[in-house]
Amino acid sequence: MKLMWFHLMPYTELPDDFRQRHPSVWVDIHSELFDPKRAHLMYNDFMDELEYAADCGFDAICVNEHHSNGYGLMPSPNLIASSLARRTTNTALCVMGNSLALYNPPTRVAEEFAMIDVISGGRLIAGFPVGTPMDTCYAYGQNPSMLRQRYLEAHDLVMRAWQEKETFAFNGRFNQQRYVNIWPRPIQQPHPPVWVPGGGSVETWRWCAEMEYVYCYLSYYGYKAGRATMDGFWNEMARLGKDRNPYRAGFLQFVGVGESRQHALDLYSEAAEYFYGRCLHVDPKWATPPGYTSEGSQRAGIESQVKQAADSIVRGKSTGERMAATARDMKGIVDNGYVIIGSPDEVAEQLREVAVTLNVGHLMLLLQFGNMNKEVCRFNTKLFADKVKPLLSGLFSEWEDRWWPKPMEDNLRAEIPAFLPKLAAE
Amino acid sequence: MSAPEELTVDVNGFQTRVWRKGSGPVLGFIAGYGGLPRWVPFLDHLAERRTVIVPSLPGFPGGERGHTVLDSHLDWIVAVRTLMEKSGLVGADLAGSSVGASMAAEMAAVWPADVRRLALIAPLGLYDETDPPADPWAQRADDVPGLMCADPEVWKALKAPPEGANSIEWPIEQVRANEAAARIFWPMGNTQLAKRLPRIAAPTLLLWGEHDRVMPRSYAARIGALLGGRHETRVIGGAGHLAELDRPREAADAILSWTS
């Protein structure tokens, strides 16, 4: 299986009384809380951490896109990914991803992703999220009633831009571009692997199945809450006659590894409580722009509430709504499965169970979260790589991962000038 | 209150509800934010003296999913014009509230000869950064009733499912109305209506709820200054944004006297 190292890049110095004094971490979080000189250090720490994870042997490093967000300092994940393309050599670069409807023209995504793919020698995983309500409808002012149609059309434009050999005219409902002809073209042919992070909507599952894309459930609520969603996904795959190849799916999980469970609790409680207490403090007024959630998903949500089904916390709910009902103390965080903690053996055992029960071949791990400092993050990352990863890597070896990047041959790759090797410096 | 006659007309392939009640000269009414999931006393008051015709806007209750094919403001204006033609409202007096007032103003501006007299209750469509309208889509759910009506219970009663309503489809229909409004006005509520107001020739009554928390009353003066024809502003005491719901008798009387 693939073990991928994901960074959200949270601002690590939100005040202790953030929940009391500020209405929201997202959309209208106050600029007085942002100190650019402190953020200079944070960005450089975060990028060090991503590079370190690559050095430690994780299969991929992952970045994502958020706007006006105190727990996600990457309005442009592509900027970070381009730097990582130069500072890593064999690790896949998972940009999870670009919210297609926010780019005008969406051709920009085809171009920038192609650049990253070319610079990195074909290591890009291209993530295409719709984006949260906070990012898309509020921070970026997109009309929620048109967002999904715009997303789907932008997807069509990007895929054609990557694959058509001749200059073409794109005559879309929302995008009209007379001359589409991107330079550069991606190394990976016919295109980089496409992964789609989404909530629990049946429409998204069907679309991923139809397009043969990876579906990723990126929730902050761990495997217990994710179970119903992933079960729904696999039931739908079965209904559509798709195989149970675990590499059709990705799943996000917070993890803290220590020498023992108590050691892990001592190490990670503060950072976890910072994340679930401050970083997910989102004003519910940003939760439900009308039209963002499709009527099909609303219907499924109301029906699952009526039935008190396990997935009622997910179905028909937007990111913001889910965030409103979150445990914020370490006991609740661990008991609910948001964060998996323990000794290496205990963590490996739990992750194996997660991977097998959810049938997920791509585990995206958050080993830095909240205000975790670089030292603790490195400890977590290294211990996981050394002691947990070997216990899990062989899982699902009977399946082929058809959705993994296919880089160019080593002997054709550019020689990157030496930079400070982090492992050697220790 | 007795039930109105209910007709349907085709707009872009969607069967769109048109209510009709009363006798006398025709008076059209286009509903405000949230639409009309049920007949309301305000319309009965109008029907006491006029033939009231109430077409649903696309996507609003009674308007099916007609909003989903409207991608531009031109699409909306043409769809509403089609609705006017098919409901028999061309050349008639026209009133509207909130979202509906904005569309009524568009009809009077684009086809100035086709609206006799116009009554607008707190129309959307303008945005002045010195006194911005509220954002109706960035609200905690509990705050919406008090934003729309001075008496939140009035809004809650309008939106409560009637006995026998489908408990799944009813709430979806109410969200759809909010989505349809968003489709027209997201994100600022500025449709550049201000550019077209000078074309309005019909004598225009501007009605504003005393406690309107969506559109500040200062917009009455902005609109008045741009209107091409005769106009007058009246404030309805004790009413909120949807003044016709809070104070049905006062709102109806003002419109009836203006269009008599």
Side-chain angles (χ1 to χ4, degrees):
Chain A
M1 78 173 306
K2 299 296 197 303
L3 294 156
M4 310 168 68
W5 200 99
F6 201 123
H7 214 316
L8 292 172
M9 299 202 172
Y11 194 82
T12 54
E13 295 177 6
L14 298 175
D16 292 343
D17 59 357
F18 179 72
R19 288 188 71 84
Q20 290 73 44
R21 289 197 47 233
H22 297 271
S24 187
V25 78
W26 215 332
V27 184
D28 59 351
I29 182 172
H30 203 280
S31 66
E32 74 181 12
L33 298 175
F34 188 88
D35 180 340
K37 289 176 180 167
R38 299 296 298 166
H40 162 77
L41 299 174
M42 291 175 204
Y43 271 121
N44 281 281
D45 279 354
F46 296 157
M47 292 165 82
D48 285 349
E49 289 160 9
L50 282 154
E51 292 167 15
Y52 183 77
D55 282 358
C56 286
F58 281 83
D59 296 304
I61 42 180
C62 317
V63 291
N64 71 344
E65 173 179 335
H66 283 306
H67 300 275
S68 312
N69 184 328
Y71 79 72
L73 297 183
M74 281 183 284
S76 172
N78 301 355
L79 292 181
I80 304 294
S82 73
S83 167
L84 296 173
R86 288 276 294 175
R87 299 287 292 261
T88 62
T89 47
N90 294 314
T91 314
L93 301 173
C94 177
V95 182
M96 198 81 244
N98 285 183
S99 299
L100 291 172
L102 303 187
Y103 295 76
N104 182 17
T107 315
R108 182 87 185 182
V109 173
E111 291 174 331
E112 292 191 3
F113 271 179
M115 286 177 72
I116 296 169
D117 200 50
V118 171
I119 294 169
S120 69
R123 289 184 284 138
L124 176 73
I125 294 167
F128 290 157
V130 171
T132 69
M134 289 68 91
D135 292 312
T136 57
C137 299
Y138 294 108
Y140 260 43
Q142 286 295 308
N143 194 314
S145 182
M146 301 186 199
L147 184 68
R148 270 159 217 281
Q149 287 153 327
R150 282 183 178 276
Y151 165 84
L152 291 169
E153 181 178 300
H155 159 271
D156 296 345
L157 172 49
V158 170
M159 296 309 283
R160 282 186 67 186
W162 275 342
Q163 295 175 83
E164 292 212 7
K165 303 302 175 205
E166 304 296 329
T167 302
F168 66 94
F170 188 83
N171 182 30
R173 181 173 171 183
F174 305 104
N175 300 278
Q176 283 133 32
Q177 200 174 342
R178 187 67 183 82
Y179 305 101
V180 184
N181 176 30
I182 62 160
W183 274 63
R185 300 293 180 124
I187 282 181
Q188 298 184 79
Q189 291 294 321
H191 56 77
V194 174
W195 295 21
V196 176
S201 95
V202 181
E203 293 100 323
T204 305
W205 297 339
R206 286 180 190 153
W207 189 65
C208 286
E210 180 195 334
M211 305 304 292
E212 289 288 327
Y213 294 160
V214 171
Y215 168 72
C216 302
Y217 186 50
L218 307 186
S219 128
Y220 301 135
Y221 307 111
Y223 61 102
K224 289 185 182 172
R227 176 72 193 266
T229 300
M230 294 313 299
D231 283 353
F233 170 74
W234 287 114
N235 289 341
E236 188 60 23
M237 291 306 107
R239 211 185 60 75
L240 297 169
K242 297 290 178 184
D243 62 30
R244 277 182 64 82
N245 187 334
Y247 294 112
R248 289 186 181 282
F251 188 76
L252 185 78
Q253 181 64 54
F254 287 63
V255 176
V257 199
E259 301 297 350
S260 66
R261 183 180 164 85
Q262 187 56 49
H263 185 223
L265 279 172
D266 294 344
L267 274 181
Y268 304 114
S269 289
E270 185 196 335
E273 288 178 355
Y274 178 99
F275 184 81
Y276 288 95
R278 294 177 220 180
C279 295
L280 297 192
H281 175 53
V282 178
D283 193 323
K285 76 181 186 178
W286 308 126
T288 50
Y292 177 86
T293 305
S294 73
E295 292 191 357
S297 290
Q298 289 179 50
R299 208 163 276 127
I302 297 169
E303 283 165 355
S304 69
Q305 280 163 38
V306 169
K307 283 188 278 186
Q308 296 188 310
D311 58 350
S312 63
I313 53 162
V314 171
R315 289 300 194 87
K317 296 274 172 67
S318 68
T319 316
E321 286 179 293
R322 286 173 211 153
M323 286 178 178
T326 301
R328 296 192 290 272
D329 64 292
M330 191 58 175
K331 186 174 183 316
I333 289 165
V334 172
D335 288 350
N336 285 310
Y338 301 169
V339 180
I340 285 178
I341 57 149
S343 67
D345 286 349
E346 289 165 346
V347 166
E349 191 185 322
Q350 292 176 78
L351 285 179
R352 174 180 291 271
E353 194 192 325
V354 170
V356 171
T357 16
L358 305 187
N359 196 39
V360 168
H362 302 116
L363 263 188
M364 301 173 182
L365 304 156
L366 278 166
L367 292 159
Q368 192 287 344
F369 45 83
N371 61 354
M372 190 189 294
N373 68 36
K374 186 154 82 172
E375 188 189 351
V376 174
C377 172
R378 282 181 166 230
F379 176 82
N380 199 16
T381 302
K382 187 81 166 71
L383 194 55
F384 189 104
D386 289 349
K387 300 277 182 64
V388 181
K389 191 170 183 291
L391 301 176
L392 296 171
S393 290
L395 202 57
F396 301 132
S397 56
E398 69 276 26
W399 291 98
E400 181 197 357
D401 189 348
R402 293 187 278 119
W403 298 271
W404 199 252
K406 295 178 181 62
M408 51 194 282
E409 302 85 332
D410 279 349
N411 60 349
L412 298 178
R413 297 259 201 104
E415 210 166 300
I416 308 293
F419 50 88
L420 266 185
K422 286 161 293 296
L423 282 176
E426 280 183 320
Chain B
M1 252 190 342
S2 66
E5 184 186 358
E6 185 168 321
L7 316 165
T8 54
V9 298
D10 182 297
V11 181
N12 296 317
F14 295 93
Q15 292 306 304
T16 305
R17 183 189 74 196
V18 179
W19 279 329
R20 185 186 175 101
K21 190 173 179 181
S23 58
V26 168
L27 167 63
F29 178 75
I30 313 177
Y33 190 88
L36 291 174
R38 48 163 50 91
W39 183 256
V40 291
F42 163 74
L43 297 173
D44 259 350
H45 296 321
L46 295 180
E48 286 165 8
R49 286 162 56 189
R50 305 289 295 267
T51 301
V52 184
I53 294 180
V54 187
S56 295
L57 289 175
F60 285 73
E64 296 196 323
R65 291 178 47 75
H67 63 298
T68 57
V69 297
L70 306 178
D71 298 337
S72 66
H73 206 56
L74 181 60
D75 284 351
W76 276 96
I77 288 174
V78 171
V80 177
R81 171 69 185 188
T82 304
L83 202 47
M84 296 291 108
E85 291 169 356
K86 294 192 174 185
S87 316
L89 284 171
V90 172
D93 293 326
L94 189 58
S97 171
S98 171
V99 171
S102 194
M103 282 301 161
E106 298 282 12
M107 294 302 105
V110 181
W111 293 274
D114 290 349
V115 176
R116 188 178 159 270
R117 284 191 168 225
L118 186 63
L120 306 174
I121 305 171
L124 273 54
L126 277 69
Y127 185 97
D128 186 324
E129 63 187 19
T130 63
D131 194 9
D135 181 347
W137 305 285
Q139 300 292 330
R140 302 178 190 192
D142 293 349
D143 293 339
V144 172
L147 184 70
M148 292 299 154
C149 291
D151 178 0
E153 297 307 318
V154 170
W155 171 266
K156 289 182 193 167
L158 177 77
K159 290 288 175 175
E163 203 157 319
N166 182 315
S167 63
I168 291 171
E169 296 307 317
W170 179 273
I172 290 174
E173 191 175 285
Q174 310 318 311
V175 172
R176 187 185 302 151
N178 301 346
E179 178 191 340
R183 197 160 175 112
I184 310 171
F185 294 105
W186 193 277
M188 313 276 285
N190 182 1
T191 56
Q192 314 276 1
L193 174 61
K195 287 184 187 174
R196 297 178 289 277
L197 287 173
R199 289 178 45 85
I200 294 179
T204 302
L205 174 65
L206 296 169
L207 286 175
W208 235 271
E210 182 190 12
H211 306 300
D212 190 331
R213 292 179 52 215
V214 176
M215 291 301 293
R217 211 190 305 164
S218 63
Y219 284 87
R222 284 185 191 87
I223 292 169
L226 290 167
L227 284 171
R230 186 164 70 82
H231 59 88
E232 189 179 313
T233 301
R234 286 185 218 165
V235 173
I236 299 184
H241 178 59
L242 300 172
E244 72 280 14
L245 299 179
D246 274 319
R247 291 283 185 272
R249 175 56 76 184
E250 291 84 340
D253 284 349
I255 293 168
L256 288 169
S257 70
W258 183 256
T259 55
S260 64

